[in-house]
Amino acid sequence: MSGHRVAAITRRLLQGFRRDRRTVALLFVAPIVILGLLGYLMRGSSVPAVGVINQDQGPLGAVVADSLQHSSLVSASAISVTDGDSKLKDRSLVAYVVFPPDFSQSAQSGVIAPEVHVEGTQPSAVAPVLTALQQALASAASRAPGAIRFAPKVTYLYAGAGLDSLDYFGAAAIGLIVFFLVFVITIVSFLNERSQGTLERLMASPLRRGEIVLGYMIGFTVLALIQAVEVLVFCLGVLKVHNDGNVFLIFLIEALMAIVAVNLGIFLSMFARTEFQAVQFIPLVIVPQFLLSGILFPVSSEPSLLQPVSNVLPLTYAVNALRDVMLKGADLSSSSLLLDIGVVTGFVVLLIAAGTATLRRRIA
């Protein structure tokens, strides 16, 4: 074995990477961007908004409510009884706490039992609320004689305590998996059509550019819809993911996301010349949407600088729609669901136009 020849091969490989600035950027810049984004999300996230309803006739409710409003874990404010559920429904609150009229009296018997009402579709947002409440109760209990047991009564507006992590994550996972796999297959396959000259031969035929894009889109979409059916059947039939909504409505949202992924793949294939360059779009397109679309962290708790970014991502609206259907049982009478579906449909139209424009620039 010749060390000189091995070194020559190594040197040739490194020189090739040096000339490929996109690959160098992916290797050294993308990890910093992704880790920085994740760190900013986890440490810079805003605290969840919580409502406080104090009905207590004694002094303890006021003390605990004041302590809760000064907690650094939540952003608590006083609300009226009639506003509680409505604020949960419009997502302006993740929870509200009620101190009942006999709150101080029950504490004298050794039990503190506030009522905690949570929205239910974002379990990760509930933990800081319960922690802040427990700290506020512990501070108040330290002034009282004897041992006191904390027994908060948690009520879910949607879903419930009987659901596990897969039930909550399953709705988002359906949209994410379809979007991710369809995007990867489309961008690589369409790139092959370009590199093999098939697309140029089609452009030389009497076919119009719009017809070519539509034909490719329908072909990829048929495969994507078959995959969407498979994912949906497996999640609901095999994994038994919780679902309170209409199965056909879930499939409609899946189908829209599949079409978005297809057209996004067609559009971005313009900016890649090899399959390796096409795969480089995965961390640039998929990972930010995974982090910012509300799958892991509620959009409302993200840093204020990132929330506008989340609000222009198609996966954000698809995840909201799927959770509304599967966890809340929403149907087409829901204005929130119609808005989410309408936005995803808008992305479909926008990306079809972008794909057609990309084809023009490529051939020119």
Side-chain angles (χ1 to χ4, degrees):
M1 179 181 293
S2 171
H4 178 72
R5 289 193 290 267
V6 171
I9 294 174
T10 303
R11 185 168 55 254
R12 177 183 176 277
L13 178 64
L14 293 178
Q15 288 175 347
F17 277 111
R18 186 182 62 182
R19 289 189 293 269
D20 190 348
R21 296 181 179 179
R22 182 182 301 178
T23 300
V24 173
L26 179 70
L27 288 174
F28 298 106
V29 178
I32 302 301
V33 173
I34 293 173
L35 289 174
L37 180 62
L38 182 60
Y40 187 40
L41 274 171
M42 298 185 70
R43 292 184 173 174
S45 298
S46 59
V47 295
V50 178
V52 179
I53 301 174
N54 183 21
Q55 301 173 324
D56 187 21
Q57 303 298 325
L60 184 60
V63 172
V64 178
D66 181 71
S67 178
L68 190 61
Q69 290 176 10
H70 287 86
S71 172
S72 61
L73 298 177
V74 296
S75 175
S77 59
I79 63 171
S80 64
V81 177
T82 56
D83 288 341
D85 286 347
S86 63
K87 288 183 177 294
L88 291 183
K89 290 178 180 179
D90 65 18
R91 298 171 183 165
S92 59
L93 294 177
V94 299
Y96 68 90
V97 182
V98 179
F99 302 109
D102 61 344
F103 184 67
S104 294
Q105 183 179 356
S106 63
Q108 294 176 359
S109 64
V111 178
I112 293 182
E115 300 174 6
V116 182
H117 297 258
V118 299
E119 192 263 351
T121 62
Q122 293 280 3
S124 60
V126 179
V129 177
L130 296 179
T131 302
L133 178 59
Q134 186 174 6
Q135 290 180 357
L137 293 174
S139 176
S142 64
R143 310 174 190 178
I148 295 181
R149 181 170 61 89
F150 304 119
K153 301 175 182 177
V154 181
T155 302
Y156 293 83
L157 182 62
Y158 304 110
L163 304 187
D164 59 20
S165 298
L166 182 60
D167 291 318
Y168 287 109
F169 183 72
I174 289 175
L176 175 65
I177 291 172
V178 170
F179 179 76
F180 170 68
L181 294 179
V182 171
F183 170 76
V184 173
I185 292 172
T186 302
I187 191 172
V188 173
S189 300
F190 200 77
L191 179 63
N192 285 336
E193 293 289 288
R194 290 185 187 276
S195 61
Q196 293 172 3
T198 304
L199 191 58
E200 281 71 13
R201 290 193 292 271
L202 289 175
M203 290 297 298
S205 71
L207 291 171
R208 297 179 179 178
R209 294 183 181 91
E211 294 171 340
I212 295 174
V213 172
L214 186 61
Y216 274 110
M217 184 192 74
I218 293 175
F220 286 126
T221 301
V222 169
L223 297 177
L225 293 181
I226 295 174
Q227 182 196 69
V229 171
E230 178 190 28
V231 170
L232 184 59
V233 170
F234 186 81
C235 285
L236 299 184
V238 179
L239 297 181
K240 306 296 182 182
V241 174
H242 177 81
N243 175 39
D244 282 334
N246 187 297
V247 175
F248 294 102
L249 196 52
I250 300 172
F251 178 72
L252 170 64
I253 301 168
E254 270 192 297
L256 289 174
M257 278 309 297
I259 299 174
V260 167
V262 165
N263 286 281
L264 184 61
I266 291 174
F267 171 66
L268 291 179
S269 68
M270 162 62 189
F271 306 98
R273 293 174 179 167
T274 64
E275 290 187 9
F276 181 68
Q277 290 184 349
V279 172
Q280 292 176 8
F281 280 107
I282 294 176
L284 301 177
V285 174
I286 303 298
V287 175
Q289 296 211 59
F290 174 68
L291 294 176
L292 298 177
S293 62
I295 296 176
L296 297 179
F297 310 97
V299 174
S300 59
S301 69
E302 291 178 0
S304 56
L305 292 177
L306 292 179
Q307 290 185 21
V309 180
S310 297
N311 292 330
V312 296
L313 299 177
L315 192 58
T316 299
Y317 297 92
V319 168
N320 285 339
L322 289 168
R323 281 177 170 159
D324 282 353
V325 174
M326 297 180 68
L327 297 178
K328 299 180 181 179
D331 53 28
L332 293 178
S333 64
S334 169
S335 58
S336 174
L337 179 61
L338 287 176
L339 174 62
D340 291 332
I341 292 177
V343 172
V344 177
T345 304
F347 275 106
V348 170
V349 176
L350 179 63
L351 288 170
I352 289 175
T356 304
T358 298
L359 193 59
R360 289 194 186 101
R361 289 196 301 269
R362 176 65 176 174
I363 298 304

